[in-house]
Amino acid sequence: MRNIAHESPETSTALHVLRERTNSLHARLDSQSELAVLLEPGCSLADYQTATMSLAAAYRGVDSALAKGERYCPPALPAYIPRLPHLLADILLFGLTAPASPVFELSAPSSNASYLGMRYVIEGSNLGARVIYRSLQNSDIAQSIGVDKCYWSSAQTWQLSWPALLRKLAELRTHKEWDEAANSACLVFEHFIRFLTPEKRS
Ligand code: HEM
């Protein structure tokens, strides 16, 4: 039998369970969300603004849930950086009005494992954010969105939490903890899907 204690962070059981449970949810965001449009050559300023407004509405709930669960953040993991202020900076630049409070609240984490599951989704999304940033840099709207100062330009900095997160996930040892982490990760993915896919607010 495999000795879990000697697993590397990149292959830990917790990470494996998280990937397995969230794979299809990620695929929906990847292919069908308002973010996917940001990767298309014809992405317009209006597309960018729509995606930013929806993402801001989603992050209002995420920032608040993670702030409420701050006590579950292990000391070895960098504190969560709220994303909403960065999105609001983009929104203000366009002279738009910030989205109102979310229709859908997100439950705060209730344990160390559930906190890590939620951070997995947020910190993991930076991997995709880097892809989006590179695509926007080469797009026709690069100048009008001020691409080197826009929300997506922060992805590289936020990426620093990923290795620490993998190490903390690898320390989760029980089925109960893996389940708690995966359940919370799924709730966060579903939260984003509600705000970012065509069937949202239906
Ligand atoms: C168009 C939108 C998106 C694209 C193109 C995209 C793309 C990617 C890519 C390329 C990776 C890295 C895969 C790898 O290196 O193995 C990744 C990982 C990840 N993304 Fe996304 N992503 C998108 C949206 C999102 C969103 C909105 C979320 C969450 C709210 C998210 C959550 C994650 C997570 C958790 C991982 C880490 C997977 C792992 O290594 O376990 N992604 N994404």
Side-chain angles (χ1 to χ4, degrees):
M1 196 180 149
R2 224 167 142 203
N3 184 349
I4 293 168
H6 291 116
E7 281 182 333
S8 79
E10 290 76 18
T11 60
S12 73
T13 304
L15 185 62
H16 177 77
V17 172
L18 279 165
R19 283 177 172 159
E20 203 168 63
R21 291 270 309 272
T22 62
N23 202 16
S24 61
L25 297 169
H26 184 271
R28 282 179 68 185
L29 283 170
D30 196 349
S31 62
Q32 297 163 27
S33 74
E34 287 170 3
L35 300 182
V37 181
L38 303 180
L39 292 166
E40 288 173 12
C43 173
S44 67
L45 187 57
D47 292 330
Y48 184 84
Q49 290 172 343
T50 302
T52 307
M53 293 291 274
S54 300
L55 203 56
Y59 267 113
R60 197 180 282 279
V62 172
D63 285 2
S64 146
L66 286 174
K68 284 181 202 152
E70 205 181 358
R71 66 187 177 284
Y72 295 116
C73 183
L77 181 64
Y80 171 68
I81 300 167
R83 305 310 202 238
L84 183 60
H86 295 266
L87 288 158
L88 290 180
D90 270 17
I91 289 170
L92 285 178
L93 191 74
F94 297 129
L96 299 172
T97 309
S101 292
V103 185
F104 306 103
E105 292 288 346
L106 180 63
S107 303
S110 53
S111 67
N112 180 256
S114 87
Y115 181 87
L116 292 178
M118 293 176 85
R119 287 288 297 270
Y120 163 76
V121 183
I122 305 304
E123 306 309 332
S125 73
N126 276 319
L127 304 175
R130 288 187 312 177
V131 179
I132 292 175
Y133 177 50
R134 275 198 299 275
S135 175
L136 287 170
Q137 280 180 310
N138 296 317
S139 73
D140 291 344
I141 61 166
Q143 207 167 4
S144 32
I145 64 170
V147 73
D148 287 324
K149 287 202 171 67
C150 80
Y151 171 77
W152 303 95
S153 68
S154 307
Q156 202 72 33
T157 316
W158 294 337
Q159 192 60 41
L160 298 174
S161 296
W162 184 245
L165 179 72
L166 293 186
R167 283 193 293 275
K168 295 314 292 180
L169 284 173
E171 289 173 14
L172 301 180
R173 291 285 188 267
T174 66
H175 282 281
K176 183 171 175 283
E177 287 176 319
W178 300 333
D179 253 1
E180 280 174 10
N183 290 344
S184 290
C186 288
L187 286 179
V188 178
F189 264 112
E190 282 155 10
H191 178 81
F192 277 100
I193 286 169
R194 280 194 201 103
F195 284 94
L196 290 167
T197 60
E199 64 266 32
K200 67 185 183 177
R201 293 186 262 280
S202 59

